[in-house]
Amino acid sequence: MNATEPRRRWWPRSVRAVAALAAASTAAVILAGIGWWVHHDVYRQSTQIAEDQAKDQLWAICDKLQQGVVPDSTSAVPYEVVATGRRTAVAYGGGMDDFAPGTHHVMPAPPKTLRAELIDTVRLPANPDYDPSDKFSVAGGTNQVVTADISADVLSSEKAAALGVAADANLRAYVVVLPHTAEAITETTDRLLLRAGLVSLVLIAAATYFAVRIALRPVEAIRVLTASVTANNPRERVTVPATGHEITALATTINTTLQRLDNAAAQQRRFVADAAHELRSPLTTLLASLEIALAYPERTDWPAAATTAARQTRRLQSLAEDLLLLARLDTRTPIAADPETVDLTALLSRLTEQYPLTERPLTLTCDSTAPAPARGNPDEYERLLRNLIDNAARHAAHRIQITVRNQDAWVVLTVHDDGPGVPTEDAERIFERFVRLDDARSRDHGGTGLGLAIARDLAHRHRGTLTLTPRTLGACFQLRLPRAPTPAEK
């Protein structure tokens, strides 16, 4: 592999494949746990069945011995009966004859004092004739056996003689608990579980794969439609499924997002068109005055032409500054982590004292003296308040009243003029960019149409609000800003 060649990823990238692999892996863990539990439970129950069979065989042998009858050597379960004082077995069967014991017992002889032992382990000698294919033969080694003792006082002399033992001999019957049945059942169960588990994993993975594929079809349709949304065709919307599940919520969210983007694009187009229109008016006036002055230099009032050019240039400069400020506000640049504390009362007092009222007589008063602290940028607060005062000054007839008061955790500031006011239906539209009300503003005496829009953006930037409150006379703008705590309140 080339050193610059990217390494191939073995993990599947498809959501369907990942979901199928995850489901199969989870199912494999669960099935492995279930298989382990079933394996041990089957082996335990099969062993219990083998023990029960050995006990049944033991009781049958004991019944025959108590009747003085030698048990039949043909038995499905290995057994042997031994007696004290006798070197050979009284009876045996079920594969115990393969040991060829000769004159010695294969099973140990019973002790002189009998004990009631039902289950024990006995180590058998090696069996040279052991046949692994025979389930009832015993190979030797340590084996589990069930035992029962028959004391001499239970048997009469005639029964003891019939069994070939002395009258005072104690008998013990051994029945070997064969593990082959339990092991065979467990092995068979393990093979069935393995096959069933593999088939289940394949079916689970396939079912998950196709289920996720079917579930993702609406998502693919949403992706195709979303990819078709372009700047030339921004009104394309995805189809909302009627199922009411998560895909419906996704489609609704995407349509809402596309609508917001469409509105933002339309607003941007209107903003560009309005900005171009606003720039064209002073540029046209400036160009016309300069061309006339150049065409007729001897009849041109050059001081008046320079005054007109300077006025239109200042208008262009103000418009450019407002546009730059709006662009900066649109970037949502956060306020500094440790903003300054600004006294809005002192700032308003300074603005009202310095505000030029030369064009027409106006009374501008600020009747608040209590400090109104707010956290933020002093320059931005000054721009916000100046825009509100400029707007009131353009529309006031004789008087502008400014009030500031502390209200719980807020600083509430109002700017009220006695002008023509604003119609109720235009209470929100006046905060849009480049909006001028025909009956209240004119381009010749008004601003750029961005003052209130900038003021509201600055208020929102400082976590405040700017609204137009209803008044019977004039317009009243209310500014609410979070109040900064005083040193005594900290």
Side-chain angles (χ1 to χ4, degrees):
M1 179 184 296
N2 190 358
T4 60
E5 183 180 353
R7 300 178 63 181
R8 296 180 179 177
R9 297 175 57 183
W10 62 271
W11 188 262
R13 297 183 181 180
S14 171
V15 176
R16 300 185 294 269
V18 170
L21 183 59
S25 301
T26 305
V29 174
I30 296 174
L31 291 176
I34 295 175
W36 179 86
W37 175 77
V38 170
H39 169 85
H40 286 79
D41 192 64
V42 167
Y43 185 79
R44 179 183 59 81
Q45 295 187 19
S46 301
T47 303
Q48 184 63 44
I49 292 173
E51 292 178 1
D52 294 340
Q53 290 177 348
K55 291 176 184 178
D56 293 340
Q57 181 70 14
L58 179 65
W59 303 138
I61 293 173
C62 290
D63 289 341
K64 290 184 177 181
L65 292 174
Q66 291 176 1
Q67 296 173 8
V69 178
V70 178
D72 189 3
S73 62
T74 58
S75 173
V77 181
Y79 78 93
E80 186 173 272
V81 180
V82 296
T84 56
R86 177 167 172 162
R87 299 180 60 85
T88 59
V90 177
Y92 52 84
M96 294 299 294
D97 52 347
D98 293 337
F99 282 96
T103 59
H104 294 85
H105 296 308
V106 176
M107 298 294 188
K112 297 296 183 180
T113 303
L114 298 177
R115 294 178 299 171
E117 294 181 355
L118 186 61
I119 300 178
D120 199 356
T121 55
V122 174
R123 183 168 184 81
L124 301 179
N127 185 4
D129 297 327
Y130 172 69
D131 184 5
S133 62
D134 186 1
K135 295 182 179 180
F136 304 106
S137 61
V138 182
T142 302
N143 287 265
Q144 189 178 30
V145 294
V146 291
T147 64
D149 295 328
I150 301 175
S151 60
D153 55 359
V154 175
L155 299 174
S156 61
S157 57
E158 292 82 4
K159 294 179 181 179
L163 295 174
V165 298
D168 59 349
N170 295 322
L171 300 180
R172 173 172 287 183
Y174 293 90
V175 178
V176 179
V177 179
L178 291 176
H180 305 86
T181 304
E183 293 174 355
I185 294 175
T186 305
E187 290 177 1
T188 302
T189 304
D190 290 344
R191 287 194 296 269
L192 291 176
L193 288 176
L194 180 60
R195 294 172 184 171
L198 293 177
V199 173
S200 300
L201 290 179
V202 173
L203 292 178
I204 291 173
T208 305
Y209 182 88
F210 288 106
V212 174
R213 181 178 180 181
I214 294 173
L216 290 180
R217 284 179 180 174
V219 178
E220 178 64 18
I222 291 173
R223 185 196 66 79
V224 173
L225 285 174
T226 306
S228 64
V229 176
T230 60
N232 297 326
N233 186 22
R235 292 179 174 82
E236 187 71 33
R237 298 293 182 268
V238 301
T239 302
V240 179
T243 54
H245 50 58
E246 292 82 358
I247 306 299
T248 302
L250 174 63
T252 303
T253 303
I254 290 178
N255 283 340
T256 304
T257 303
L258 291 176
Q259 185 62 45
R260 289 199 301 265
L261 293 176
D262 188 14
N263 294 339
Q267 182 180 3
Q268 184 179 13
R269 289 192 295 269
R270 287 197 307 270
F271 179 77
V272 173
D274 292 340
H277 182 72
E278 293 291 334
L279 290 172
R280 184 175 60 180
S281 177
L283 286 174
T284 301
T285 302
L286 180 60
L287 181 61
S289 62
L290 292 177
E291 287 180 344
I292 292 174
L294 292 175
Y296 306 98
E298 68 281 355
R299 290 183 295 175
T300 298
D301 185 357
W302 287 103
T307 302
T308 301
R311 184 174 63 253
Q312 298 302 326
T313 302
R314 284 194 297 271
R315 184 176 174 184
L316 287 173
Q317 182 183 12
S318 176
L319 182 59
E321 291 177 352
D322 288 347
L323 292 175
L324 289 175
L325 179 57
L326 283 175
R328 184 168 61 86
L329 294 176
D330 287 340
T331 60
R332 301 293 190 271
T333 304
I335 302 178
D338 189 16
E340 300 181 32
T341 299
V342 181
D343 186 359
L344 298 182
T345 301
L347 179 59
L348 275 172
S349 300
R350 179 168 58 84
L351 289 178
T352 54
E353 292 174 359
Q354 299 176 354
Y355 196 83
L357 300 174
T358 58
E359 295 184 0
R360 53 196 174 94
L362 283 176
T363 302
L364 178 61
T365 59
C366 179
D367 60 357
S368 300
T369 58
R375 306 295 293 271
N377 188 307
D379 295 336
E380 293 182 355
Y381 277 140
E382 181 176 352
R383 180 62 181 272
L384 191 162
L385 298 179
R386 188 179 294 277
N387 283 5
L388 292 178
I389 296 174
D390 288 344
N391 177 77
R394 280 194 297 271
H395 306 114
H398 303 288
R399 186 170 181 271
I400 300 173
Q401 178 68 33
I402 302 175
T403 61
V404 183
R405 67 182 185 276
N406 294 310
Q407 189 178 68
D408 298 330
W410 297 90
V411 173
V412 181
L413 182 148
T414 59
V415 179
H416 186 196
D417 64 74
D418 59 350
V422 179
T424 305
E425 61 273 13
D426 295 326
E428 283 297 319
R429 196 169 70 89
I430 60 173
F431 292 103
E432 297 178 5
R433 299 172 182 182
F434 296 111
V435 170
R436 294 184 178 89
L437 302 183
D438 297 336
D439 58 349
R441 299 184 181 189
S442 66
R443 181 171 285 104
D444 294 336
H445 298 89
T448 61
L450 299 175
L452 292 179
I454 292 175
R456 171 169 277 190
D457 286 350
L458 288 173
H460 290 170
R461 175 177 167 82
H462 291 81
R463 299 186 299 277
T465 59
L466 177 62
T467 57
L468 179 67
T469 59
R471 286 290 189 275
T472 57
L473 177 64
C476 180
F477 290 89
Q478 185 183 81
L479 173 66
R480 294 174 61 89
L481 294 169
R483 186 172 69 89
T486 61
E489 296 174 341
K490 292 182 179 179

